[in-house]
Each structure stands twice: as C-alpha cells, then as structure tokens.
Amino acid sequence: MHIGIDTVMLRGKGFLCLLSEGSKVMQGQRALELDLNYLNSNVYYLIISVVSNMGEFGILTVTTSETVVAGQSPLLDITGR
C-alpha cells in the first residue's frame, strides 16, 4: 500500500500501521490508521494505491465515493476466484 506523494519525508508521522509485513488479512480488518488532518497539512497530494498479489484474487473494485465515513465506508472490495 502506498499513501501520498512525498510522504516518506514524514518518517511515519501521521500513520499508524496495524499489521506487520506478511500478515494475513481478513475481510473488514483495518490495516492502517491515518491522521488526515496532519497529512492534509503536510503532504503535496494524498492518494492511496494498493499493490497486491492480484493473480490470486479475482476483481479489485473501488467501492467508495468522495465522502468516506470512518468505520462505515468500505474503500475496496476484493473478490476471490
């Protein structure tokens, strides 16, 4: 998962990783917490891209609109094969 442009310069500030590398993730499990107020004030552009082993899955669909409500708005739907 890559979040933002030039966010490396923040050295992790504004992010709280809830998983470790290689973790198996269950549907609905949170992977990351973001301090959006801090990030919006300190990065050029906040964009999220996800790169995964999609060959093992079926379809990745973005399921949200511009408005996201924490704990209510799913961002992505990954459908298995």
Side-chain angles (χ1 to χ4, degrees):
M1 186 180 308
H2 183 86
I3 300 176
I5 296 176
D6 293 333
T7 53
V8 171
M9 67 182 187
L10 300 176
R11 300 178 191 245
K13 190 167 182 184
F15 300 94
L16 176 62
C17 184
L18 304 174
L19 302 171
S20 58
E21 187 173 337
S23 294
K24 293 194 183 254
V25 181
M26 303 298 293
Q27 179 178 349
Q29 184 178 355
R30 296 182 324 160
L32 187 67
E33 288 183 3
L34 307 174
D35 181 341
L36 293 179
N37 290 328
Y38 178 81
L39 294 172
N40 282 323
S41 297
N42 290 281
V43 298
Y44 174 70
Y45 190 71
L46 191 59
I47 187 169
I48 300 171
S49 61
V50 177
V51 179
S52 182
N53 52 341
M54 289 306 297
E56 296 180 21
F57 299 98
I59 300 169
L60 175 67
T61 307
V62 177
T63 59
T64 189
S65 63
E66 291 184 23
T67 302
V68 176
V69 178
Q72 296 179 18
S73 305
L75 298 175
L76 301 170
D77 179 52
I78 302 174
T79 305
R81 290 185 183 233

